[in-house]
Amino acid sequence: MKYPLGIQTFENIRTDSYLYVDKTALVYDIVKGGKYYFLSRPRRFGKSLLISTLEAYFQGKRELFRGLAIDSLEQEWTAYPVLKLSLNVDNYNSAKVLLDVLNDAIDTWCRQYGINVAGETPSVRFKNLLTALYETTGRKVVVLVDEYDKPLLATMGNDAMQSEMRGMLKAFYGILKPLDGCVQFGFFTGVTKFSKVSVFSDLNNLTDITMDRRYAEVCGFTEAEIRRTLDAEVGELAQANRLSREACYAKLRTNYDGYHFEHDTAGMYNPYSLLRVLDAKTFKDYWFETGTPTILVEALKHNNYNLDNLTQEEVTADLLGSIDSVATNPLPLIYQSGYLTIKGYDERFESYRLGFPNCEVERAFTRFLIPYYTALKSSQGQLFVANFVKDVRAGRVEQFMQRLESLFASGDYQIASDAELFFQNVLYVIFTMMGFYTEVERHTTDGRMDMVIQTSDYIYILEFKLDRSADEALRQIEERQYAKPFEHDSRRLYKIGINFSTTTRRMEGWKKSE
């Protein structure tokens, strides 16, 4: 099996016999059901391939679709002039970069179709090109835009520059509405969704299918598709890892499945991670290798966000649907970036409960946070957690408490202005990472923070106090009988009281008892 890793061109995939999971029935429904569409999906989820598939379809390249669902659905196969634009091509550190990208795209289209157009701005040139193409070919034009939001994401935090880029994109996209008679179809993709008011206000007939359950499976793979198309390859992966086939499916599900773009829809696999694990035949966190945008941490920092709330809050569809509220709530940005997904829905209040889609994403997100919430550098985080877990499993209380103390040694903490919140967030990051290797339960209520860590040989009950004393923390463990559920357990049990100073932002003392 040839996996299309790094290949996002539909024609290359089909002509070079790479794996293609047939999504063309949904493509047919889209092109026949409307005219202008918007779709948001996380990175590495197949958006560029979808754009390329639409390009080949509107170019009338029926030979590429032989044997696929759309081959029997479409009868006409009309070829249209297609203008495809990808904005995922530069770092956008100035408005001139976007200006050059748009003008370069227009120059390329002009050479492609043998047309020269004048105009002082990209939007005017785009308008003239659309008109000229329609007049010279007699066919309406198809406009496909991939990663429309790259310039806007790159300038988050720089309001003046982002405003300039928004204005440029708004004028460019806005040309489509007055020239609607020249346009056959338009499709926009991106990771995030900025409000229509700011970018697409002049294109107010744009249909957002991001949370449309009819198209929930248009990008990514369902388990049913994997079993139908890649069952033999999953069998090879199982054999390479000494797993039964069903155990292998279960491990794939735990690590790479779980994306939901509307409630009560099939879980979706990230296609990049799935293809990487099938190709390498090794279970790893592949999505993490593609990078995490620092704007996520900036949003958390700006909002003094309590990380415990990531999977506790409920949000409305309106909030999820736009990141314009990022100044007051970072969840939409984190959700649209793919680190959170829909886990439940409350019909009474029309609200969604969010959570991490799978272990790969949760590990990636938590690993990424380590250098921002602790004194550890990025390269030290995973090794630190590994050694921490080894000490916990071996019952080396003094060693792992020393490691915990070292996390607060730097004193340079900028993520949370509130000392208590800072302490809670550091614990969240470290003990979430620990939870992938051992059993950790954490409970937080007013006035106390307690935690239970369990291994095959040891049980640890930790009580944290703020500006009190380790002795008081130990007394609370005894008085509230936190150890009672384990009184008949044969494992060795440690009770540990810890005090944290909000003045020095360090651990000021700890004690243990058995």
Side-chain angles (χ1 to χ4, degrees):
M1 177 70 72
K2 292 172 65 176
Y3 301 110
L5 291 164
I7 300 174
Q8 301 172 338
T9 305
F10 179 74
E11 184 167 356
N12 288 351
I13 288 173
R14 296 294 290 166
T15 57
D16 295 335
S17 301
Y18 285 96
L19 166 73
Y20 178 72
V21 175
D22 191 357
K23 301 288 185 178
T24 60
L26 289 173
V27 169
Y28 181 80
D29 288 344
I30 288 171
V31 299
K32 297 301 182 182
K35 186 166 184 176
Y36 296 105
Y37 289 94
F38 171 79
L39 175 71
S40 168
R41 286 292 184 270
R43 59 194 169 88
R44 295 290 193 174
F45 228 89
K47 300 186 298 296
S48 297
L49 177 57
L50 176 60
I51 288 287
S52 181
T53 306
L54 288 165
E55 178 186 30
Y57 167 80
F58 280 109
Q59 288 173 336
K61 296 183 177 180
R62 184 173 189 173
E63 69 279 4
L64 299 178
F65 295 87
R66 296 292 183 190
L68 300 179
I70 202 171
D71 187 30
S72 60
L73 295 170
E74 181 58 78
Q75 303 302 316
E76 297 179 1
W77 292 98
T78 303
Y80 298 91
V82 177
L83 304 182
K84 185 178 75 169
L85 171 66
S86 174
L87 292 181
N88 191 25
V89 293
D90 218 311
N91 57 11
Y92 298 102
N93 54 14
S94 72
K96 185 179 182 302
V97 174
L98 177 57
L99 181 69
D100 290 342
V101 168
L102 295 177
N103 277 321
D104 286 348
I106 294 170
D107 290 341
T108 299
W109 295 331
C110 287
R111 289 192 299 269
Q112 180 181 350
Y113 291 102
I115 296 174
N116 291 317
V117 295
E120 295 183 357
T121 65
S123 56
V124 173
R125 296 185 69 204
F126 186 41
K127 173 186 176 182
N128 293 337
L129 177 60
L130 286 170
T131 303
L133 273 175
Y134 180 52
E135 290 175 350
T136 57
T137 66
R139 297 276 172 82
K140 294 183 178 182
V141 184
V142 172
V143 178
L144 306 173
V145 180
D146 195 19
E147 305 290 358
Y148 91 97
D149 55 343
K150 180 69 180 294
L152 303 179
L153 287 173
T155 52
M156 286 191 72
N158 186 334
D159 293 342
M161 189 184 300
Q162 187 179 86
S163 177
E164 189 174 359
M165 291 194 180
R166 285 187 188 217
M168 199 181 303
L169 290 174
K170 179 182 176 183
F172 191 80
Y173 300 144
I175 290 300
L176 296 176
K177 186 174 182 181
L179 293 185
D180 183 68
C182 300
V183 179
Q184 176 67 25
F185 183 82
F187 200 96
F188 297 80
T189 77
V191 171
T192 56
K193 183 185 174 186
F194 289 82
S195 70
K196 292 182 180 180
V197 173
S198 60
V199 181
F200 295 123
S201 60
D202 295 331
L203 191 59
N204 55 12
N205 53 345
L206 192 67
T207 300
D208 182 3
I209 60 172
T210 300
M211 297 180 70
D212 190 324
R213 64 178 61 253
R214 294 173 298 174
Y215 307 113
E217 300 176 16
V218 72
C219 291
F221 301 149
T222 65
E223 184 164 318
E225 288 173 326
I226 297 169
R227 288 182 181 270
R228 184 168 60 248
T229 309
L230 292 163
D231 190 61
E233 287 70 26
V234 172
E236 293 173 5
L237 175 66
Q239 186 175 12
N241 288 271
R242 299 180 180 179
L243 298 169
S244 69
R245 189 179 300 254
E246 287 308 311
C248 189
Y249 271 113
K251 192 166 184 177
L252 286 171
R253 200 178 303 124
T254 298
N255 283 281
Y256 311 115
D257 190 13
Y259 290 90
H260 296 269
F261 303 107
E262 182 52 285
H263 67 97
D264 294 331
T265 56
M268 301 301 298
Y269 280 77
N270 179 305
Y272 177 78
S273 296
L274 179 72
L275 297 181
R276 285 291 304 273
V277 71
L278 291 176
D279 183 55
K281 294 182 174 54
T282 302
F283 286 90
K284 287 176 60 179
D285 293 346
Y286 296 103
W287 198 59
F288 181 60
E289 296 174 1
T290 65
T292 299
T294 55
I295 56 173
L296 296 183
V297 174
E298 293 300 321
L300 292 168
K301 180 169 63 174
H302 177 78
N303 286 278
N304 273 330
Y305 193 79
N306 186 334
L307 296 178
D308 273 325
N309 294 337
L310 279 173
T311 58
Q312 304 295 323
E313 293 190 56
E314 292 196 354
V315 295
T316 64
D318 287 343
L319 185 66
L320 283 185
S322 173
I323 66 167
D324 293 284
S325 62
V326 69
T328 55
N329 191 333
L331 284 185
L333 178 61
I334 297 171
Y335 164 76
Q336 292 181 30
S337 298
Y339 286 93
L340 296 175
T341 195
I342 293 170
K343 289 291 187 179
Y345 180 70
D346 190 327
E347 189 173 356
R348 296 169 301 172
F349 305 106
E350 298 182 342
S351 61
Y352 294 88
R353 178 174 55 83
L354 303 181
F356 292 103
N358 52 53
C359 287
E360 179 191 43
V361 172
E362 186 173 8
R363 281 191 296 261
F365 187 72
T366 311
R367 258 186 230 141
F368 181 72
L369 294 179
I370 285 177
Y372 294 94
Y373 283 86
T374 73
L376 299 172
K377 295 179 180 178
S378 180
S379 58
Q380 299 173 314
Q382 195 164 354
L383 183 59
F384 176 92
V385 171
N387 290 328
F388 198 108
V389 170
K390 289 176 184 176
D391 289 337
V392 168
R393 286 178 172 170
R396 297 191 289 262
V397 178
E398 286 75 14
Q399 286 91 329
F400 78 68
M401 288 304 301
Q402 287 173 5
R403 294 188 193 280
L404 193 59
E405 282 182 297
S406 71
L407 294 179
F408 306 97
S410 160
D412 181 21
Y413 306 116
Q414 302 175 1
I415 291 290
S417 58
D418 178 80
E420 181 176 354
L421 178 60
F422 157 72
F423 185 46
Q424 290 175 341
N425 283 342
V426 171
L427 292 177
Y428 173 90
V429 170
I430 294 304
F431 287 103
T432 297
M433 282 300 298
M434 280 191 62
F436 294 115
Y437 310 100
T438 186
E439 185 179 345
V440 178
E441 288 184 76
R442 185 170 175 212
H443 309 283
T444 305
T445 61
D446 292 340
R448 69 177 180 89
M449 291 175 285
D450 66 83
M451 184 174 297
V452 177
I453 305 172
Q454 299 186 57
T455 72
S456 58
D457 298 309
Y458 298 94
I459 299 170
Y460 304 88
I461 299 175
L462 291 80
E463 176 65 30
F464 301 95
K465 287 294 181 184
L466 297 173
D467 300 322
R468 301 287 184 83
S469 70
D471 287 322
E472 185 176 344
L474 277 178
R475 281 199 301 274
Q476 182 165 312
I477 293 175
E478 297 296 344
E479 290 171 359
R480 302 194 180 183
Q481 298 184 322
Y482 293 162
K484 187 172 180 61
F486 308 103
E487 60 185 354
H488 300 299
D489 199 300
S490 61
R491 289 173 293 180
R492 189 170 183 177
L493 187 145
Y494 288 106
K495 305 166 190 173
I496 303 172
I498 302 168
N499 182 53
F500 177 75
S501 169
T502 57
T503 302
T504 65
R505 295 196 175 196
R506 299 190 183 193
M507 284 174 51
E508 291 293 315
W510 66 274
K511 283 188 177 182
K512 70 172 181 178
S513 67
E514 297 183 44

